[in-house]
Amino acid sequence: MKERLLDLLACPTCGGDILLPYASKYDGKEIMEGVLSCKKCSREYKVTSGIPRFADLAKIEEDKAETAENFGWQWTHFTQENEQYAGQFLGWLQPVSPEFFEGKVVLEGGCGKGRHTRLAAEWGAKEVVGTDLGDGVESAFAATPHLPNVHIVQCDVYKLPFRRKFDYAFSVGVLHHTPDPKRAFTSLSGMVKKGGHISAWVYGAENNEWITKYVNPVREGFTSKISQPMLYQISKLPTLSVFLTTKLVYRPANIIAKPVAKKLFYNDYLNHLGTFGWREQHNIVFDHLVAPTAFYISKEDFEKWWDEIKAKDVEIIWHNQNSWCGFGQI
Ligand SMILES: [Zn+2]
């Protein structure tokens, strides 16, 4: 934890200022071990392995802890880097471009292994705070030591430990895995100062009926319940069918016979998946099967989220025929 992060922090319980009365280990850049305390209510929060800890998985609701644990395993095992992450990230952030990040104080709701935290920092954000409830924070911290503008915080999206000082907040692929996605979105938007912006990307209800009908029962009843190492092995089988189908059918069809390809089942998304190699596809399939909670959100419901926070100039964009990108001003 960098000491200047204190300017952005606030007690998640009472909103009071956060102080650092005690640091036992400082490596010249980061406070590696220490204790933070609230000036108002005196609650204490630990800093361990360089990360301030505002949430304790042992003490939070079971469904949230389960989601955080399952994804935590994913982000500490699928730590690969991929040069396609930037393009993929921009797809989810539409209509935002890399220049948009320049000079901004940015908050990320759900950073996983930190792949987007890192991109935001490299695109010139003044500060980027990546947050997550699960063990992904360890990978995110380990992936960003060279970036002086990155901060990683372990916390609950419903009880964010920050002041309303952010120019921009974004969350991609995370809100729909929380028990109440709209509440998580509202909480995130509450950290953005007036005139700032927010982006969110969520699974769409539209066009995903086949997932809701056939994949969800398997995920909810089986794959999210078994151990992650076992799922890691088992998920290689569906990955193989996705890999062969996307590489041998969808990619060639989209290159040589576009009008025919357009008629293929779930073409935009499967063609996009076909641009990734085995490791990333395995990660994506695993990701779809590991989540105990996943909501598929209709455009109508998604629009209500933006209405309720009274966002201005809202743009809702349909992405890959299966998900919604939203962007608006607070
Ligand atoms: Zn407090």
Side-chain angles (χ1 to χ4, degrees):
M1 172 191 155
K2 296 168 182 82
E3 203 170 345
R4 66 178 192 283
L5 178 65
L6 289 172
D7 295 341
L8 294 172
L9 292 176
C11 175
T13 308
C14 78
D17 289 348
I18 294 290
L19 309 169
L20 176 73
Y22 178 69
S24 58
K25 195 172 158 202
Y26 178 64
D27 71 359
K29 278 197 299 191
E30 306 268 355
I31 294 146
M32 297 303 289
E33 309 287 329
V35 176
L36 299 166
S37 81
C38 172
K39 197 174 165 183
K40 206 160 138 191
C41 75
S42 305
R43 273 189 179 79
E44 291 190 336
Y45 305 97
K46 282 184 188 157
V47 180
T48 56
S49 306
I51 302 167
R53 317 279 177 171
F54 289 95
D56 185 346
L57 282 189
K59 290 185 194 155
I60 62 169
E61 300 90 317
E62 201 183 324
D63 51 350
K64 272 199 278 185
E66 200 185 344
T67 297
E69 271 174 34
N70 288 12
F71 278 108
W73 192 92
Q74 174 177 184
W75 299 129
T76 49
H77 289 79
F78 285 98
T79 53
Q80 77 280 0
E81 276 299 324
N82 191 314
E83 61 193 19
Q84 286 162 283
Y85 284 159
Q88 191 186 36
F89 184 36
L90 288 171
W92 290 328
L93 285 189
Q94 292 179 73
V96 165
S97 62
E99 300 76 45
F100 182 78
F101 284 83
E102 275 170 31
K104 288 193 166 68
V105 178
V106 178
L107 176 64
E108 176 177 17
C111 66
K113 63 180 173 181
R115 71 199 214 203
H116 302 136
T117 323
R118 185 174 167 169
L119 286 165
E122 288 169 354
W123 290 340
K126 187 179 173 203
E127 311 283 0
V128 189
V129 183
T131 67
D132 211 293
L133 186 56
D135 289 342
V137 288
E138 319 299 334
S139 299
F141 187 79
T144 51
H146 58 296
L147 293 163
N149 48 349
V150 166
H151 310 267
I152 303 296
V153 176
Q154 188 167 28
C155 62
D156 183 345
V157 71
Y158 296 109
K159 292 180 191 167
L160 291 164
F162 303 106
R163 299 185 208 190
R164 193 173 185 171
K165 279 190 151 188
F166 292 88
D167 301 307
Y168 180 48
F170 69 87
S171 182
V172 291
V174 175
L175 301 171
H176 50 230
H177 291 306
T178 67
D180 184 347
K182 187 171 78 178
R183 210 179 114 218
F185 173 73
T186 307
S187 172
L188 192 67
S189 72
M191 300 295 117
V192 178
K193 58 190 187 192
K194 200 142 185 65
H197 293 83
I198 180 166
S199 286
W201 173 73
V202 295
Y203 292 158
E206 299 84 348
N207 225 10
N208 277 327
E209 294 82 0
W210 68 279
I211 293 189
T212 325
K213 202 167 167 190
Y214 302 108
V215 181
N216 280 3
V218 177
R219 177 179 58 71
E220 286 165 8
F222 176 55
T223 56
S224 69
K225 305 283 180 216
I226 61 175
S227 76
Q228 289 86 38
M230 192 183 282
L231 178 60
Y232 183 87
Q233 299 303 335
I234 290 176
S235 58
K236 286 177 183 169
L237 198 63
T239 306
L240 183 65
S241 65
V242 171
F243 187 79
L244 294 176
T245 313
T246 57
K247 295 287 184 191
L248 299 178
V249 180
Y250 283 77
R251 289 303 289 156
N254 277 275
I255 293 162
I256 56 176
K258 197 81 186 157
V260 179
K262 278 193 174 305
K263 291 186 184 139
L264 292 173
F265 171 71
Y266 223 48
N267 180 57
D268 284 11
Y269 184 63
L270 290 174
N271 179 40
H272 169 68
L273 268 191
T275 64
F276 292 106
W278 171 265
R279 179 78 181 153
E280 203 58 43
Q281 286 202 2
H282 185 204
N283 193 165
I284 291 165
V285 170
F286 182 94
D287 184 277
H288 278 285
L289 296 173
V290 78
T293 308
F295 289 94
Y296 290 79
I297 295 150
S298 68
K299 187 181 187 196
E300 197 186 344
D301 285 344
F302 195 44
E303 282 171 341
K304 280 186 200 147
W305 295 13
W306 299 83
D307 288 345
E308 284 185 26
I309 63 162
K310 298 189 171 63
K312 287 182 288 196
D313 302 326
V314 176
E315 289 185 55
I316 308 274
I317 297 167
W318 182 229
H319 182 52
N320 274 347
Q321 293 183 310
N322 65 357
S323 58
W324 297 108
C325 307
F327 174 73
Q329 189 173 30
I330 300 294

